Amino acid sequence: MDEKKPTGRKKLWVWIGAVSVLLVTAGLVVGVVYVVKHPSETVSPARPAASDLLYLFDRPAEPIFSLRGINRDVAFDVPHAYLPERYRQREAEVREQVRRAAKRVVMVPEIEMPAERFADINTRLPFRSAFTRSAPPFLALVIRFWHFFDESSSVEDLLARAVWARLHFNPEMILDALMLYMLRSPLQSVRDLRIPELPEYIPELYVNDEFFAKAREEMHMVPPNNRAPVAVARNVGKDDESVLWYFREDPHFHVFHWKWHVYYPAGTDDDQYVDLPRRGELFVHLHRQFTARYNAERFTNGLPAVLPMDVHKPLPKGYFPKMVHLHGSKGTVGRQDNATLLPLKTFVDNHDKWIKGYERVLDQGYVVLKNGTQKRLVDIEGLDIISNLLEGNTVVSPDYNFYGNVHNDLHANLPRAADPIAVHNEPLTVTSFITTVAKDPAFFNIHQLMDDLYEKYKKKYTLPYDIAKDLTPLPGVTLHSVAVRTANAAAANELSTYYQQSDLDVSLGLDYTPAGRQYARFTHLQHRPFHYELRVTNNESRPRRVFVRLALLMVQDEKGAPLDLDFRRRFSLLLDVYDAVLAPGDNTLRRQSTQSALTIDNDAIYAEGRDAGAVRRGNVCRCGWPQGLLLPRGSAAGTPYQLLAMVTDYEQDKAPTSGSSETCDDGWLMCGVIGSAHYPDVRAMGFPLDRPFPAGVASLEDLLTPNMALADVRVTFENRTEPPTAVLQGDRSTSWMPTV
């Protein structure tokens, strides 16, 4: 019987199917053309340059001898002795394929590698396991490889060591060690390299799991110049916590938190990088600001203040991150509501023991050091000690083995709540990684508990400020008023926020994909640019240099009821501290919001075309709060806050300088000055709101002195999303900074 010819609607579907096949085939051909271009002759290997180290950050899950770079046209000529056994049998085939496709081949020197020295590594951290520097055993491995890289005598020697290590050991751990070495390297050509930021080469930490299928489809089917950015989906469910996605999922919040712990490791590192002045106080200050800002976002979304963690009670809120670990090809485990840590009996018993030990320290007023001597707790110096004690820092704790590690052990065991006795052998959760831990609401429960412990110390061992003596150290100077003015706004003291989209090139983190860039489109909080305006009179005949201190205080809770004054003080939002010169007579001081000493210029992280000195400084100075999160989101009706301004004597409050040309002060309010032995402000961090108010202060107005001023301000959220703005030089990203 003859086959029937398709008619009518069937003809249409046959035609559509044929066209679809042709389009898919054409797309695949285009993709292949962009992946590999075969020159007629192979390229001779070239001597390595310092910049070739950056190719090690490309596509961490691929072997290092695969084609590197945005255009997939650079290859490493890897010595036979470096290859893992599984690749040696196919060496000639792989080498020829890669060499023929490369426009540049980098010759990797062959030196004798100390395989026996690192024979235990893959047992401690398997090649495809998840890595986190927040686990002390893994951080210890990082430090071992940092020392290994630090033994390099030249760039060529360093490249050989890094390539060998990258082939044989967990790539994420090796890249962490290489990044650490590059920050501390004695080789200037290495320090002059722009180190990629984590979202560029490990994007799975910052995007949802479904992103990767869409991104790979786009890269395989569409030529590079025509690819569309792939949107990162918001992690929003039916639970009330998910309304805070814009805060907990902000990529630069997590990059900042990770970077802070790179600069201030929890021990397991050389003392010179851990035992830093005021490190413990800075730890308290940083995490109090995290908790304060989280509470501000909760109130504006109708949620109550965060509660401290109680290890004896179920964790009320679950969390499902919707993430995937690409290198290990594993999903990231979620946690149901009301999960419990009680099956972890050793952890719970230790936690209780260490808390009781801390309470004994508060009662007796001293700690006992490892050598048996007593050290008394006095004011802020004592806070520095008890912070290191509670964190469980293996280097600077008074006695780690005796006092334990309350903070670090909470973080180490929280990931186990989803499967506490390891029935299902699923260890991965976002709280396993310092890079993502703050996505989980339980992170803030932990730090509310920690802040409660710090506050117990402050109430007992820090004296309230004497208003006349401590808060008015600047005779002859009067601060009349403070105001904020938003660009293009008619009225003063009106601030506005909205959502902004920004595109980031994540192609170097997308393994086994074609050449060319692929952008992820993030949605994050943003605010209209504004400036502070202070009217100040200097009654002296000479100029006076002052510190200007600015903080935002919450006014009402989630129900619109007035907040307790002590809560407002304790969880005030630090905005800026800067120095200014007052001329004799009346002065108007103006300061742009983008100049804040709290934040960093996120665009400077990704923009290219800067000189070597700027790049080197940029690598070191990437620590700071994201500019987009400078303000709390506010509400559609407008959320009221109070802005507190204070001027103090710069000469009295300034810290000594280290004199180092490598130091930076970007984001110093939370990060300190990286590379310096001194925090720029000798006052207690958070001054004058760092401790309980003196008796008789029932309102902020009662606290005011001639060098202080208050303003009522309102933050209004414009519920809209603006598209990406200008592409930064180098095409890595669009702008993340506020625009008019």
Side-chain angles (χ1 to χ4, degrees):
M1 182 181 293
D2 293 337
E3 184 175 329
K4 292 183 179 180
K5 295 181 179 180
T7 59
R9 183 171 296 183
K10 287 186 178 180
K11 281 186 177 180
L12 175 62
W13 283 112
V14 169
W15 182 84
I16 291 174
V19 172
S20 298
V21 170
L22 288 173
L23 287 173
V24 169
T25 303
L28 287 172
V29 170
V30 170
V32 171
V33 168
Y34 273 85
V35 173
V36 178
K37 296 180 179 179
H38 294 282
S40 58
E41 297 180 359
T42 58
V43 180
S44 299
R47 289 189 61 188
S51 58
D52 293 323
L53 289 166
L54 299 178
Y55 292 120
L56 275 76
F57 291 89
D58 289 9
R59 302 171 175 88
E62 291 186 20
I64 197 64
F65 50 75
S66 66
L67 290 169
R68 313 268 95 195
I70 290 292
N71 297 316
R72 290 279 198 177
D73 56 1
V74 176
F76 286 115
D77 189 358
V78 180
H80 173 83
Y82 291 5
L83 293 175
E85 189 62 37
R86 65 185 181 278
Y87 289 117
R88 290 185 182 181
Q89 297 177 1
R90 307 291 298 274
E91 177 184 0
E93 179 182 342
V94 171
R95 190 184 299 275
E96 177 65 15
Q97 180 181 0
V98 171
R99 287 278 297 273
R100 287 184 61 83
K103 292 183 178 179
R104 181 169 182 269
V105 176
V106 180
M107 182 176 62
V108 179
E110 182 172 355
I111 62 176
E112 186 175 352
M113 293 298 173
E116 292 185 3
R117 174 177 168 184
F118 298 106
D120 62 320
I121 298 295
N122 285 325
T123 301
R124 297 176 184 274
L125 178 63
F127 188 87
R128 292 201 176 276
S129 289
F131 162 78
T132 171
R133 68 172 14 246
S134 56
F138 293 170
L139 181 56
L141 303 183
V142 169
I143 301 306
R144 285 173 63 181
F145 278 99
W146 166 56
H147 285 295
F148 175 56
F149 296 147
D150 199 39
E151 295 165 7
S152 303
S153 58
S154 64
V155 168
E156 291 86 351
D157 189 12
L158 173 62
L159 182 70
R161 292 167 183 263
V163 166
W164 174 77
R166 177 85 152 65
L167 277 167
H168 289 271
F169 306 107
N170 186 284
E172 292 179 29
M173 181 268 291
I174 294 300
L175 292 179
D176 193 287
L178 181 60
M179 177 272 301
L180 193 63
Y181 170 79
M182 293 171 73
L183 287 172
R184 302 172 177 178
S185 176
L187 303 173
Q188 182 165 320
S189 61
V190 174
R191 295 200 311 276
D192 289 348
L193 298 173
R194 177 200 171 274
I195 303 173
E197 201 64 278
L198 271 181
E200 295 179 87
Y201 66 95
I202 312 183
E204 63 261 36
L205 297 171
Y206 309 100
V207 303
N208 56 301
D209 48 9
E210 65 185 38
F211 169 87
F212 296 101
K214 295 178 180 178
R216 286 195 170 101
E217 177 184 357
E218 191 74 16
M219 294 187 78
H220 279 285
M221 302 304 295
V222 182
N225 292 337
N226 295 326
R227 291 173 188 160
V230 176
V232 178
R234 303 174 184 180
N235 188 359
V236 176
K238 294 181 179 180
D239 61 305
D240 53 5
E241 289 279 344
S242 66
V243 298
L244 299 172
W245 63 270
Y246 63 89
F247 184 82
R248 290 204 323 269
E249 308 280 337
D250 185 281
H252 286 118
F253 171 27
H254 298 288
V255 170
F256 160 56
H257 185 215
W258 167 77
K259 189 61 67 71
W260 193 95
H261 284 280
V262 170
Y263 292 131
Y264 298 97
T268 322
D269 200 341
D270 287 16
D271 290 6
Q272 70 182 101
Y273 299 108
V274 182
D275 191 6
L276 300 173
R278 303 182 71 179
R279 181 205 179 280
E281 183 190 357
L282 187 59
F283 185 90
V284 173
H285 179 58
L286 171 88
H287 291 95
R288 172 167 286 189
Q289 283 296 302
F290 284 3
T291 307
R293 289 176 173 274
Y294 190 57
N295 276 323
E297 301 301 341
R298 292 180 66 84
F299 290 157
T300 201
N301 281 281
L303 300 176
V306 65
L307 296 174
M309 176 169 284
D310 185 340
V311 299
H312 295 277
K313 295 180 180 179
L315 301 170
K317 294 297 181 182
Y319 181 67
F320 288 82
K322 302 177 179 64
M323 290 168 53
V324 64
H325 179 236
L326 289 185
H327 177 57
S329 299
K330 296 189 69 174
T332 304
V333 177
R335 183 186 67 247
Q336 297 284 353
D337 292 352
N338 298 312
T340 179
L341 294 167
L342 287 176
L344 305 172
K345 188 175 185 306
T346 300
F347 156 70
V348 173
D349 290 347
N350 282 337
H351 177 83
D352 292 342
K353 177 181 68 175
W354 295 333
I355 293 293
K356 289 178 181 177
Y358 171 64
E359 290 171 347
R360 283 196 299 272
V361 165
L362 293 185
D363 289 340
Q364 64 197 20
Y366 62 84
V367 295
V368 180
L369 304 181
K370 298 172 188 176
N371 60 11
T373 60
Q374 296 179 2
K375 188 171 183 63
R376 299 208 65 80
L377 302 175
V378 180
D379 206 75
I380 291 300
E381 292 80 3
L383 178 66
D384 199 63
I385 294 170
I386 67 101
S387 172
N388 291 328
L389 177 154
L390 286 171
E391 181 198 5
N393 192 293
T394 57
V395 172
V396 292
S397 171
D399 189 339
Y400 176 83
N401 292 325
F402 181 74
Y403 292 113
N405 58 336
V406 174
H407 169 268
N408 291 344
D409 210 39
L410 281 166
H411 279 301
N413 284 278
L414 179 60
R416 302 171 65 188
D419 186 20
I421 55 176
V423 172
H424 304 290
N425 195 28
E426 289 286 351
L428 288 179
T429 76
V430 294
T431 51
S432 302
F433 311 104
I434 196 68
T435 46
T436 54
V437 60
K439 290 187 176 188
D440 191 328
F443 170 86
F444 298 95
N445 299 123
I446 288 176
H447 281 285
Q448 183 63 56
L449 167 64
M450 299 307 301
D451 199 78
D452 288 349
L453 296 174
Y454 305 139
E455 190 67 9
K456 284 184 178 180
Y457 173 85
K458 286 192 172 188
K459 287 184 175 180
K460 189 163 187 175
Y461 290 100
T462 60
L463 295 175
Y465 292 118
D466 183 291
I467 294 179
K469 178 182 177 182
D470 299 318
L471 302 185
T472 317
L474 202 58
V477 173
T478 302
L479 175 57
H480 301 288
S481 66
V482 61
V484 289
R485 298 189 182 277
T486 299
N488 298 331
N493 298 331
E494 294 288 339
L495 300 166
S496 61
T497 64
Y498 57 96
Y499 292 137
Q500 171 78 55
Q501 291 178 329
S502 294
D503 294 343
L504 178 64
D505 176 19
V506 296
S507 54
L508 297 185
L510 301 177
D511 306 301
Y512 304 106
T513 52
R517 299 184 186 277
Q518 178 60 54
Y519 293 92
R521 176 159 290 176
F522 293 89
T523 302
H524 58 97
L525 190 65
Q526 191 60 279
H527 58 268
R528 292 292 175 204
F530 64 92
H531 70 266
Y532 307 96
E533 195 169 281
L534 293 85
R535 291 179 51 250
V536 194
T537 297
N538 174 13
N539 291 314
E540 296 195 359
S541 59
R542 62 182 179 88
R544 292 291 301 270
R545 195 171 183 183
V546 297
F547 263 133
V548 180
R549 305 171 184 275
L550 297 160
L552 195 67
L553 285 85
M554 292 175 267
V555 172
Q556 60 189 31
D557 66 11
E558 77 281 7
K559 296 179 180 178
L563 284 167
D564 172 77
L565 180 62
D566 194 58
F567 182 96
R568 299 178 64 203
R569 170 203 63 79
R570 179 178 166 187
F571 296 113
S572 54
L573 281 59
L574 201 59
L575 294 177
D576 201 358
V577 175
Y578 68 97
D579 64 281
V581 176
L582 300 177
D586 295 335
N587 294 260
T588 300
L589 301 180
R590 293 182 177 87
R591 171 83 162 180
Q592 297 296 325
S593 56
T594 51
Q595 295 176 290
S596 171
L598 181 76
T599 63
I600 57 171
D601 180 353
N602 294 108
D603 288 356
I605 296 173
Y606 302 113
E608 294 182 353
R610 297 173 296 160
D611 60 50
V615 170
R616 182 168 61 249
R617 189 177 183 279
N619 286 335
V620 177
C621 304
R622 289 187 194 173
C623 186
W625 188 248
Q627 178 66 218
L629 294 178
L630 176 63
L631 295 178
R633 195 194 70 172
S635 61
T639 302
Y641 296 91
Q642 282 192 303
L643 176 65
L644 174 67
M646 182 181 190
V647 292
T648 60
D649 190 342
Y650 175 82
E651 295 302 326
Q652 177 180 318
D653 294 349
K654 71 175 182 179
T657 59
S658 66
S660 170
S661 61
E662 296 295 322
T663 60
C664 57
D665 57 6
D666 310 55
W668 67 261
L669 284 176
M670 284 193 191
C671 296
V673 177
I674 308 302
S676 172
H678 303 286
Y679 191 79
D681 183 3
V682 299
R683 296 280 193 172
M685 297 177 194
F687 173 83
L689 305 171
D690 62 288
R691 62 191 65 193
F693 290 143
V697 174
S699 68
L700 283 179
E701 287 75 11
D702 293 338
L703 189 73
L704 295 185
T705 58
N707 57 323
M708 302 170 73
L710 270 178
D712 294 324
V713 302
R714 184 170 59 179
V715 180
T716 301
F717 172 57
E718 305 167 11
N719 191 8
R720 58 189 178 81
T721 302
E722 291 197 356
T725 55
V727 178
L728 303 178
Q729 186 174 356
D731 297 331
R732 293 179 183 272
S733 178
T734 59
S735 177
W736 295 79
M737 297 293 283
T739 56
V740 177

